[in-house]
Amino acid sequence: VGDTFIAVKYCLRAFRAVFRRVFYVPGNHDMWIRPKGQHANEPEMFADSVAKLLSLWQMCDDLDVDVGPAQLSPQVCVVPLDGWYHFSFDHWDPKPGNTAFDKFCKWPMAYDDVWMFMTNLNDARLEITEKYMQPGSSVITFSHFLPRKELPLPGVHEMAKGSGCLKLEDQLRRVKSKLHIFGHTHINTQNDYDGCIYMQNAMGYGISPGQKLCVVNDKGSFRSYMA
């Protein structure tokens, strides 16, 4: 959503002004802690990217933005999934690469362990969904990062190692997701794999002029059209 805390806040506040419900998971840019002088003094605000994540959650609570699962209607339940990338997502070369992505992030754990920390945050969301979801509901999950290797990737060196996490696939399957929405790669796509539709509708950096939103569920029925 934004490279700085204040940018995320302005964006979510704008969404809340026009939508009844807004859901959010952070992407890689949201976890950056930019050096002092670049838009904000985030090193003074946050000890590390986990501290920033906690502040983002508090800000979402203040703005009434959802970061957990919610039953929107008797027919539809929405489940946000946090995640991070891992080199094992690169099925051609599933080992650590030479490219260090997101150098502005500052983690209190090892670089290759961030995915485990982030996906473990979903355990409570999955338990709540399994316990309280209304019978007969369809589940829509979403994440910033890619959950399947078959999804399209940009032709950037070692980009597969910085794009997705296979544990997200296990988690969305656990709640029997019918539609999974993701981002990160800026490649619009819609694919059906094993009974779940995977969709990305990239809006461009800063939302490119002329972009439209994609409706994915209309009055309890799965439909996709631009609006």
Side-chain angles (χ1 to χ4, degrees), residues 193-211:
Y193 295 114
D194 303 319
C196 180
I197 297 173
Y198 298 78
M199 178 185 292
Q200 179 172 177
N201 180 49
M203 305 298 291
Y205 288 102
I207 305 184
S208 301
Q211 291 291 322

Side-chain angles (χ1 to χ4, degrees), residues 86-148:
H86 189 251
F87 60 79
S88 61
F89 195 76
D90 184 355
H91 64 284
W92 297 107
D93 183 32
K95 57 181 184 290
N98 297 316
T99 305
F101 296 99
D102 298 302
K103 295 179 181 179
F104 285 134
C105 289
K106 181 181 179 182
W107 297 105
M109 70 283 292
Y111 177 82
D112 289 327
D113 292 339
V114 177
W115 71 277
M116 188 181 304
F117 168 77
M118 294 295 283
T119 54
N120 283 346
L121 296 173
N122 298 326
D123 289 345
R125 295 175 174 131
L126 299 174
E127 291 171 4
I128 290 170
T129 303
E130 291 171 326
K131 185 175 182 179
Y132 295 107
M133 182 179 67
Q134 293 189 24
S137 291
S138 295
V139 175
I140 299 174
T141 52
F142 72 97
S143 61
H144 178 78
F145 296 99
L146 282 62
R148 289 185 72 112

Side-chain angles (χ1 to χ4, degrees), residues 84-95 145-153 158-169 182 184-185:
W84 202 256
Y85 45 79
H86 189 251
F87 60 79
S88 61
F89 195 76
D90 184 355
H91 64 284
W92 297 107
D93 183 32
K95 57 181 184 290
F145 296 99
L146 282 62
R148 289 185 72 112
K149 297 177 180 179
E150 299 93 333
L151 296 167
L153 292 168
E158 296 192 328
M159 189 64 191
K161 301 179 190 298
S163 291
C165 173
L166 297 175
K167 188 177 178 182
L168 287 170
E169 175 70 8
F182 63 97
H184 191 61
T185 51

Side-chain angles (χ1 to χ4, degrees), residues 4-19:
T4 64
F5 180 87
I6 194 66
V8 176
K9 183 176 182 179
Y10 286 161
C11 180
L12 294 179
R13 181 186 288 167
F15 285 156
R16 280 294 293 126
V18 294
F19 294 107

